[in-house]
Amino acid sequence: MNDRISQLLKRAPSSELVVVEGWVRTKRESKTVCFLEVNDGSCLKGLQVVIDLQSFDQSELLAKVTTGAAVSCTGELVASPGGNQAVELQARSIVLHGEAPVDTYPLQKKRHTLEYLREIAHLRPRTNMIGAVARVRNEVSYAVHSFFHDRQFSYVHTPIISTSDAEGAGEMFQVTTFDLDNIPRTEEGAVDYAKDFFGRKASLTVSGQLEGETYAMALKNIYTFGPTFRAENSNTKRHLSEFWMIEPEMAFCTLEGDMQVAEDFLKYIFAHVLDNCSEDMAFFSQWVEKGVADTLRSVVEKPFVHMTYTDAVAELEKNNKSFDYPVHWGSDLQTEHERYLTEVVCKGPVIVTDYPKEIKAFYMKLNDDGKTVRAMDVLVPRLGEIIGGSERESRLDVLTERMVSLNLDPADYWWYLDLRRFGSVPHAGFGLGFDRAIQYITGMQNIRDVIPYPRAAKQADF
Ligand code: ATP
Ligand code: MN
């Protein structure tokens, strides 16, 4: 395989012939010389290919080499007289693999809006911005695995088709092979799921946590990293219907350990991106969110602030007149409240703990006050919640009681309750929305621009 442009740009000039393969971003021509900028996605920068028109004998071909065309250029790397790069390719020959006609190629050299680029999502990775996002996504995925691997967490593949609603929030996409025009019914007229593919009602998973817990009860520390689906009809800049989630689960661990891992984990992936994507981060800092790289650096260096929900509400109440939804003890925190806490009160990431049990899921450990649970959300500026986690309720009687009071049938969760019957132990975990993390890291405004093919209400193109 030929070297990538990221590698070629680091080489010293040499008479050895090299081949650069990629797509033409720009072409500039004078009477005597033609410059192509070729990009292969390995880095933001392209390689400048210089063609001396007086000695070059492929002028017919060169006429068809336009923005978007796929080319292989062979030549020598020479010192570049221009200030933009150390080396450039002095081309001897060019192979034109695929043309991109000027009158139809949608990515001509000019700035396009992100909305327009969403309409050509199949071509948008060829732009500087979406290419940079793709590289950051790739590096962060790698960092996720290396963080957990280094700490002896096992990567567990939890099912995508699920028959339990982990969040109890009812935001699930159903999975069925029924002919929707002719749904089998029981004698009472209810949908007869016994006749469906799985013989019962099934959905796409909203979280791998419950299954993740079962493996934590055997392997001690595990994590999942996979797609998650939520049919929430909220048309926001931070929600997708299909997103990727990372969910570590740790046995012999309480909320304190959980928060420490969450903080270490975020700092690790931020530091990894700063160290390994400096060129892309400089791009985001300049064009997307001013100074975002410096912000990340300062997040890595400072300890996160901790605050109980009760203290957070006391802070928020002082500012109630400026919120669309005034807060009181017991209310769920909206994005405006989360952002106020992290942006104005704490001026950086904050971990809010011990929420009222009424606004959190059934599996969270009840505090001795009987009113709050050992939950924690990590909030960050611009986005609000990025991580949601908790210590899990490990006491069989308390957990069963909570399920009953929430109208969940303990029989449906028999295997989950077995974990509390056999070798139960304090355990805790959290979920990080991968796409939301990428949004935070890059400063991108809309989550739909950090995932290749966004799925949201009324949007599943491509
Ligand atoms: P939110 O209040 O923002 O909807 P949530 O409380 O529903 O979040 P959790 O169920 O705790 O979120 O999920 C864990 C993490 O997954 C969240 O902190 C967030 O980063 C991410 N997440 C949740 N829902 C979505 C979504 N629809 N699109 C993208 N990421 C999401
Ligand atoms: Mn949600």
Side-chain angles (χ1 to χ4, degrees):
M1 284 224 287
N2 292 310
D3 275 355
R4 303 292 299 271
I5 289 172
S6 58
Q7 298 164 308
L8 293 175
L9 286 171
K10 289 185 201 132
R11 290 233 211 138
S14 134
S15 58
E16 184 196 340
L17 286 184
V18 298
V19 181
V20 55
E21 298 162 328
W23 293 268
V24 175
R25 282 291 179 81
T26 57
K27 180 186 190 182
R28 285 183 295 127
E29 236 170 335
S30 71
K31 281 223 151 48
T32 53
V33 61
C34 172
F35 297 99
L36 302 177
E37 194 205 331
V38 177
N39 187 288
D40 72 353
S42 59
C43 56
L44 195 63
K45 273 213 175 87
L47 184 67
Q48 172 151 285
V49 175
V50 186
I51 302 145
D52 179 354
L53 295 176
Q54 273 136 347
S55 59
F56 196 72
D57 55 11
Q58 294 179 283
S59 54
E60 238 171 78
L61 176 141
L62 198 54
K64 296 186 205 149
V65 174
T66 53
T67 295
V71 291
S72 297
C73 307
T74 304
E76 292 149 29
L77 281 180
V78 300
S80 176
N84 288 332
Q85 60 273 314
V87 289
E88 60 188 28
L89 190 89
Q90 192 74 53
R92 297 232 188 137
S93 65
I94 295 179
V95 177
L96 172 59
H97 298 277
E99 297 177 38
V102 180
D103 47 347
T104 51
Y105 183 58
L107 282 176
Q108 295 304 327
K109 171 131 186 110
K110 67 164 189 156
R111 191 150 319 149
H112 299 286
T113 65
L114 288 165
E115 289 75 18
Y116 171 69
L117 292 179
R118 257 173 248 152
E119 292 170 14
I120 50 165
H122 60 306
L123 297 173
R124 67 178 180 165
R126 300 188 196 183
T127 62
N128 279 340
M129 197 174 291
I130 305 298
V133 168
R135 280 185 296 275
V136 167
R137 239 186 121 90
N138 173 55
E139 274 304 326
V140 177
S141 305
Y142 177 77
V144 166
H145 288 299
S146 62
F147 175 86
F148 288 118
H149 191 262
D150 288 353
R151 286 161 186 75
Q152 281 200 28
F153 282 60
S154 299
Y155 179 30
V156 173
H157 301 118
T158 49
I160 287 174
I161 296 175
S162 156
T163 52
S164 56
D165 180 355
E167 293 298 315
E171 296 172 332
M172 307 184 82
F173 289 102
Q174 218 175 306
V175 175
T176 178
T177 52
F178 277 158
D179 171 1
L180 297 185
D181 293 323
N182 186 17
I183 296 171
R185 303 257 166 200
T186 61
E187 275 167 21
E188 295 78 45
V191 174
D192 190 359
Y193 285 108
K195 297 216 171 72
D196 202 352
F197 188 87
F198 295 107
R200 56 192 298 171
K201 192 171 177 177
S203 306
L204 295 178
T205 186
V206 294
S207 157
Q209 181 200 316
L210 304 190
E211 294 89 349
E213 281 184 53
T214 67
Y215 268 67
M217 293 297 135
L219 302 179
K220 194 160 189 270
N221 295 330
I222 66 97
Y223 71 105
T224 70
F225 183 3
T228 328
F229 307 86
R230 295 193 186 176
E232 41 198 347
N233 216 338
S234 48
N235 198 359
T236 76
K237 291 186 167 158
R238 39 169 235 161
H239 287 92
L240 291 164
S241 331
E242 176 181 294
F243 63 99
W244 287 68
M245 185 141 70
I246 297 138
E247 296 182 278
E249 191 69 36
M250 297 153 283
F252 303 89
C253 181
T254 61
L255 189 68
E256 282 63 36
D258 198 31
M259 293 189 288
Q260 194 59 56
V261 173
E263 179 169 345
D264 293 348
F265 176 50
L266 285 176
K267 289 179 171 175
Y268 180 92
I269 60 178
F270 296 164
H272 181 90
V273 174
L274 291 167
D275 292 345
N276 293 279
C277 305
S278 51
E279 192 191 28
D280 291 320
M281 286 308 299
F283 175 85
F284 291 119
S285 294
Q286 185 177 357
W287 298 105
V288 176
E289 170 74 25
K290 282 268 168 292
V292 67
D294 293 337
T295 306
L296 280 190
R297 177 74 63 200
S298 76
V299 166
V300 170
E301 281 160 6
K302 274 195 308 227
F304 288 7
V305 176
H306 290 233
M307 192 183 259
T308 63
Y309 167 89
T310 301
D311 289 345
V313 167
E315 281 294 336
L316 292 168
E317 277 178 325
K318 294 185 204 159
N319 191 50
N320 253 344
K321 58 183 180 315
S322 72
F323 294 134
D324 293 339
Y325 299 92
V327 182
H328 55 87
W329 200 95
S331 40
D332 205 353
L333 302 184
Q334 310 281 335
T335 309
E336 58 172 342
H337 311 130
E338 293 176 346
R339 290 189 55 176
Y340 183 81
L341 285 173
T342 169
E343 290 168 14
V344 181
V345 180
C346 301
K347 300 187 170 60
V350 51
I351 309 185
V352 179
T353 61
D354 303 289
Y355 286 75
K357 65 174 191 261
E358 286 77 16
I359 58 171
K360 287 292 179 187
F362 71 92
Y363 49 71
M364 299 190 180
K365 182 180 175 173
L366 193 63
N367 277 316
D368 292 341
D369 63 12
K371 291 193 295 196
T372 57
V373 288
R374 299 249 75 193
M376 63 104 172
D377 281 3
V378 181
L379 315 179
V380 294
R382 280 190 288 112
L383 293 178
E385 180 184 337
I386 190 168
I387 280 181
S390 68
E391 182 172 338
R392 318 309 186 188
E393 184 55 76
S394 54
R395 297 163 293 185
L396 180 63
D397 52 341
V398 183
L399 182 57
T400 312
E401 217 171 282
R402 282 228 58 208
M403 293 177 78
V404 170
S405 73
L406 290 166
N407 285 324
L408 296 170
D409 185 356
D412 289 344
Y413 294 82
W414 65 274
W415 53 271
Y416 186 67
L417 291 170
D418 263 2
L419 300 179
R420 281 72 181 166
R421 289 189 185 100
F422 310 124
S424 190
V425 65
H427 63 289
F430 62 82
L432 168 70
F434 182 70
D435 315 275
R436 230 178 253 184
I438 302 298
Q439 214 186 338
Y440 182 65
I441 290 168
T442 58
M444 295 293 280
Q445 289 274 326
N446 196 317
I447 198 166
R448 294 173 199 206
D449 299 322
V450 302
I451 189 165
Y453 294 98
R455 271 81 180 90
K458 303 281 181 296
Q459 184 180 29
D461 314 319
F462 301 96

